[in-house]
Amino acid sequence: MATTEQANNRLVQYFLVSGLDANFGLEADEVVHSLDFTTDDSSPLDKSYKPRILRHYPDMTQWSHFNPEALSRLCLPNGLRFSNNKSRYPPCVHPFVLTKEDGTKSCGYSLVYLEEVKDMNICHALHTLQKMHTTETECGTIKKTERIRPSSVGRPNNTRSRSLPRHYTTRLSGSNLELSSSSYDHRKDTLYATKSLSIVCSRPVTHAATQVLHSIHKFINRTDFDVTVLESFLYNLLYDIPLPSPGRSIRFWALGEVVSVSLPKVPDELPLFDYPLIQFFDLLGVENAVKLLTCVLLEHQILVFSNDCQKLMLVCESIVTLINPFQWPHVYVPILPPTLENFLDAPVPYVMGLLRRTHDMNLYSRASVCIVDIDSGELDLPEELPEFPYEKELRDELETVIMEYGGKEGASMLKSQASEQLEQLNVNTHSSVDATVERLNQIIQQFETLQSNDKLSGSSYEDHMRLNTVIREIFIHRFLHMFHSFEHFVIFTSEEEVNLSGQIDTPQNFDKISFLSEQIQAHLGFLASFLETQMFSSFIDDHVQAVAGGVGVETSFYRRLSRLKSEFGESLVRTPTYDPCTEFNPVLSLLSNRTSKIELTISPQKPNHRTESKKKGVEIGIFPLLDPVKFRRKDTDNSTAVFIRGDRRSRVLDVNLVPSQNIPMLTPSQASIAETNWKFVTQLLKETKQKTKRILLEKLGSESVEWGHKNLGFSGTEENMLVGSLCDLLERIWAHGLHARQRKSALWCFLVKYVHHNDKIHKLKGSLGSQAFCVPLISSKPYLLPDHSRPVQVGILPPWTAEGATDVNILAIMHNVTTIHEIKTEIGYSRAWIRLALEQKVLASHLAAMLKDIPLLRTMYRRYAFLRCDDEKEQTMYYLQDLNAVDFSCFTNAYFNSHILYQVLIFPSQKSGSSLSSANIWMHVVGSHAETDYLLIPRGIIHFSFWTKNLGVITSLRIGHDNSGLTPNWLIEHIMIKNEFTGHCYKFSCGRWLGKNIDDGSIERYLVATQVPGVPSVREIQKAVKECAGPPAIASPALSVRSGGQSLDDVDTQTMLGEAINRLIKHHHKSLKERVSWAQLMCGEQGLVHSLIQVFSFGFKSARLFGRNLTVWDFFLKVTFDFNQSQGGHQNQTSTQESPKRTAGRQSSTVPRTTQLRRMYTKLITRIETTCTKLGKDDKFQLFVCLAVHDRLLQRIVADLTKAVAAIQLYEEASFLRDPTLAGFITHVLDALTPIEVPVDPAMKKSLELR
């Protein structure tokens, strides 16, 4: 244990030498051959051979932690290669990651170079192999096969494929040695083999490791190369150089060069990351980099492949670093050994880097894998990838800081990427891209100006680290603003829940529903998926364990989170606008300080010159295999290295030498405490005023401009965010000045104690979470449909005092929100209670009623608490009361998937024989969020309730029966539906019969909802119930005006139609002040269908010709019949004159457009007539109009009907179909609907389905 701990405190743990081992001979590496698409007929210089680890220092038992074969492949990932004297490439360093058996990781760095082969046996063996290969080729024994190298052109092309920047392909060469494939002759050629010098470090110090390896390579190529100096340096490197303290740096000598290493001071700084992120963004492009990080956060399978190990490590390490504070919990292999490629088929998330010299088409058959093809410049994204929150703004911010802190290198990178975008856009010459082309030209000119600026810094290591710091701060700043309130939604299941014993048996530890209910709608796609990842679950688990163990979480994320809360308060002001990161100076100052504060300077050991004989056997350019015994740590260390405290060139104060000072604590007085708390109270009151004013101005919309507020900056602000901010504020108010600090929601705890403290509602108490509260529309208890039921408690508001009614409603809201089983935390229940009370417009009154309980306030709060300051408390309630001036849907629009209790009351006609039906009744309800299944209503039941998923704003319903029994006919006057959670009521006017042999023969009716304004009180509901007991003013669907009926004159009819169309156009452009639905504008009172009924009924002479029961729909059937008759006669006449072949050949080209239009709408009429057998004539006409408007054909159809023969037969001269002036008006006004897309209500679509 002591040895392992010592090794972990050292900078370098191991030094390795890998390459050609003459004792084992040459063994071909078949796996690398298959990846390179080389064949058995390849030249010996083209083949790859298995490398060996020649030496590793120190030679100790800890070596068993690593697999030697796997380690040799990481040091030489392309295997052992040979080359002749015509191919010499400079040495290059690539990093790799080692994972031990205990899960800990070490960072390795390998320098690969070409070393001359001195063993003549190897040279002769390779020469013999070359001669055999040449002889077989010349004799024709081996046929030369072309290497198959699939190009990126043959890759499947799809919308998910994105191009990477092409300018990067010539940069960042790594450990990829493209060796010559020419022949080898030992008599005239010099043979070289690849060799690796590697070090394994305890920390990812990429820059320092690269310096050390290059210095060793330079040293062995010097003419005065001394092996004793090399031995002394390696011993010094392995044992004498420690890790620096956090926030400090060390400096040591490395064979002629000075190397510095520093470690960040976590949590003030972010953890160590030594790769240049500018190369990561240069390689992928800013947009593709953000897309790739989105895939990582959503735990997709990430496969990165390239021919360059350095590029693989750069991309993989960058993506797992930029997701801080989250950690990648799955398989992470940045360089996957070829023998383990079967792991690519694993059904788990992974990040893997694959070293490939050629493209593999099989990789692109994986549809769910995000593939980064670095060498060919392609990024293939998974299907249906959601957009990262504020993705465009994040990209713009990244480009801004790269331009500011990246110097000339950053300006050159952005210029190249903008030029490539411009080149791709120039292919499209249409005008829609002119603005983008102009913008890109301006950006390119701006970057060219920056490049020519001599004052810009270069691309030094310090510049890269500054840019790294800024970029990483941007990403963690984004996560801070996305999850700054996550602690409110954490579930501590080990705690006792207050009256929620039935809900603590859940393994979930985060209230996802409540958290998502406060997010922007556009971000829900990403956030809903991210909350389900193992990455986020591990983050929450760590937080729960730390809090449960009483250990403070000290990470960079929590340090910045506490700083954010201390600056903006416990409740950060929620805004849907993008908040960029601007505080870079503090972290850049910390970076500058730790690189300048040298806590230790280490000079090299003095070499032992007594072994002069060793110098004779040393050859320049060849690394000697040193004796492992010399690198074993002895009990008595004879190290001659000199350790200098601090920097000899600068005087740095050692904090360990500064005597500690005892600063006496200030004794707080009662006056200072009172003053401090008064500041808190004043601040809370000020925030209450600001938030309520902000919400009112946003909800009132354009009216705020008339009040003089012209530059508010509220554009894009959403109600959800504003209400979430109000919830935070109320939590802070109720948490201020508590005697005993509440672990969770102070407001919810207050609600629970208030209910227990109030004896007036003792009889209505029950187990929260197991029942809901229902207020019946009439005195009888509603029947609960068995297929849509949960335990329900029926309560009646006390009619004698308003105070008692308020107390009951407070408890009712508590009961209702605790039935939402997706909510798991007290803070979630509290926020749902606030949202529901706000939507019911009772938030201020309920809070004021609870605050009248003075004994409870004295029990829970100190004297200086906000809730015990009478004036401030009264002003707060006054501000909250102002919110009743506007309507909210903050509860309805926040809990889409939650089940809500609805109550239904059907009002049958009081006429004899129509109060009840013997048939089996069903109902189908449609809302803005969802729709119900078919609700089967038992016979004789007209008052019932049911549970279903949140319907939102109810828009329509369908009700019908199967026409069974002796008295199936049923006359319905109204239907009323009440949302028991929000209190919203909806009225449906009917006034029509359901029966085959009565009215128009319909046994199914489509009804449109009319919402009762606001949230009606008990008296308002009772008044609405009395009104619904009588017949409606206008039936639904509207009745066709028959003979003897009252009809509007032509002017009134034109006015009604014009207003109906005008309302549709206003609703389309979102300028209609009324809160109505498309269904109400189409089929409701004074809607388009009602207006068209009046149009087609005007001048209808059905009574004289065909009797009293002929309707408008009969006119459409007559038009269809006439058209089919004419088409049938025309086809018969044509068939007698011409052959069928000629007729078929000209049919499509000779049919007039008028005939095509008639054929189209007459087919629709025929389908409605034959399919919708349960609908009556008026319902069929209503369905036809809605489908014609949806298909934008109504104007053309009406214009064609004016030319029909049936119009002359069934209409008088002074009608809209025969009078030219009136007909022109109709076709002109209906033409305004052509550009509008009017949806068809889902309930109406069901009528076309066969059941």
Side-chain angles (χ1 to χ4, degrees), residues 324-335:
N324 185 38
F326 307 104
Q327 297 180 354
W328 180 258
H330 303 286
V331 178
Y332 177 71
V333 187
I335 300 179

Side-chain angles (χ1 to χ4, degrees), residues 1115 1197-1205 1207-1208 1216-1218 1223-1224 1227:
F1115 164 68
I1197 293 174
V1198 174
D1200 187 67
L1201 289 175
T1202 60
K1203 307 172 186 177
V1205 177
I1208 301 175
F1216 284 91
L1217 295 182
R1218 296 190 61 185
T1227 55

Side-chain angles (χ1 to χ4, degrees), residues 989-1243:
S989 298
C990 183
R992 301 292 296 268
W993 285 88
L994 276 73
K996 274 291 185 184
N997 303 319
I998 197 169
D999 203 345
D1000 63 345
S1002 179
I1003 60 173
E1004 176 183 319
R1005 295 293 183 189
Y1006 169 79
L1007 307 179
V1008 178
T1010 301
Q1011 185 173 353
V1012 179
V1015 180
S1017 62
V1018 177
R1019 292 182 179 179
E1020 292 173 339
I1021 291 177
Q1022 291 174 354
K1023 181 181 178 181
V1025 169
K1026 291 180 180 179
E1027 293 176 353
C1028 291
I1034 298 178
S1036 179
L1039 289 165
S1040 297
V1041 180
R1042 301 178 178 87
S1043 62
Q1046 293 290 331
S1047 177
L1048 299 176
D1049 58 21
D1050 57 346
V1051 177
D1052 293 337
T1053 303
Q1054 292 179 57
T1055 303
M1056 178 187 293
L1057 180 62
E1059 290 179 352
I1061 294 176
N1062 191 33
R1063 295 178 69 200
L1064 283 168
I1065 296 173
K1066 284 186 175 182
H1067 187 69
H1068 172 72
H1069 293 289
K1070 299 180 180 179
S1071 60
L1072 189 63
K1073 295 183 179 180
E1074 304 174 60
R1075 299 180 64 182
V1076 295
S1077 63
W1078 285 110
Q1080 189 173 354
L1081 294 175
M1082 287 292 298
C1083 305
E1085 184 178 347
Q1086 306 298 326
L1088 181 64
V1089 174
H1090 186 196
S1091 302
L1092 289 176
I1093 284 286
Q1094 298 296 326
V1095 169
F1096 283 99
S1097 299
F1098 184 79
F1100 199 47
K1101 54 183 180 181
S1102 60
R1104 289 200 300 271
L1105 295 179
F1106 302 101
R1108 298 178 58 87
N1109 293 327
L1110 200 62
T1111 63
V1112 173
W1113 183 249
D1114 292 303
F1115 164 68
F1116 282 83
L1117 295 178
K1118 183 69 169 59
V1119 172
T1120 303
F1121 177 78
D1122 292 343
F1123 176 74
N1124 292 335
Q1125 285 292 102
S1126 63
Q1127 288 297 103
H1130 176 71
Q1131 291 178 0
N1132 292 335
Q1133 184 180 0
T1134 304
S1135 62
T1136 60
Q1137 296 178 0
E1138 298 183 6
S1139 64
K1141 292 184 179 181
R1142 291 184 181 180
T1143 304
R1146 305 199 308 229
Q1147 186 175 3
S1148 60
S1149 60
T1150 59
V1151 176
R1153 297 184 63 182
T1154 304
T1155 305
Q1156 293 179 7
L1157 175 64
R1158 289 179 182 174
R1159 182 178 298 166
M1160 185 185 305
Y1161 73 76
T1162 53
K1163 282 185 178 180
L1164 177 59
I1165 294 172
T1166 304
R1167 182 188 175 191
I1168 294 175
E1169 178 66 21
T1170 56
T1171 303
C1172 306
T1173 57
K1174 298 181 180 180
L1175 295 182
K1177 295 180 180 181
D1178 293 335
D1179 286 273
K1180 292 175 181 177
F1181 173 76
Q1182 180 175 254
L1183 176 60
F1184 174 79
V1185 172
C1186 292
L1187 294 176
V1189 172
H1190 173 71
D1191 294 334
R1192 305 179 183 184
L1193 295 175
L1194 183 61
Q1195 185 267 347
R1196 296 173 57 191
I1197 293 174
V1198 174
D1200 187 67
L1201 289 175
T1202 60
K1203 307 172 186 177
V1205 177
I1208 301 175
Q1209 296 174 352
L1210 299 180
Y1211 283 90
E1212 299 175 353
E1213 289 286 346
S1215 64
F1216 284 91
L1217 295 182
R1218 296 190 61 185
D1219 186 281
T1221 304
L1222 296 179
F1225 168 79
I1226 292 298
T1227 55
H1228 174 72
V1229 74
L1230 289 177
D1231 188 53
L1233 295 177
T1234 304
I1236 297 178
E1237 183 177 356
V1238 180
V1240 181
D1241 192 77

Side-chain angles (χ1 to χ4, degrees), residues 98-154:
L98 287 173
T99 304
K100 301 180 182 179
E101 295 177 354
D102 58 357
T104 58
K105 294 181 179 180
S106 298
C107 305
Y109 301 91
S110 172
L111 180 139
V112 182
Y113 67 101
L114 290 175
E115 184 178 89
E116 183 178 350
V117 178
K118 296 295 185 178
D119 193 327
M120 294 307 299
N121 293 328
I122 298 295
C123 295
H124 287 303
L126 203 65
H127 177 76
T128 303
L129 291 174
Q130 182 65 48
K131 289 183 63 177
M132 293 173 59
H133 172 76
T134 304
T135 303
E136 291 175 349
T137 304
E138 292 175 352
C139 295
T141 306
I142 300 177
K143 294 182 180 180
K144 292 186 178 181
T145 59
E146 296 182 358
R147 296 184 182 181
I148 303 174
R149 297 182 180 271
S151 65
S152 60
V153 178

Side-chain angles (χ1 to χ4, degrees), residues 886-905:
V886 293
D887 295 327
F888 288 92
S889 300
C890 50
F891 180 86
T892 302
N893 294 332
Y895 303 96
F896 291 96
N897 297 320
S898 303
H899 280 69
I900 304 294
L901 179 65
Y902 293 89
Q903 185 182 173
V904 181
L905 180 59

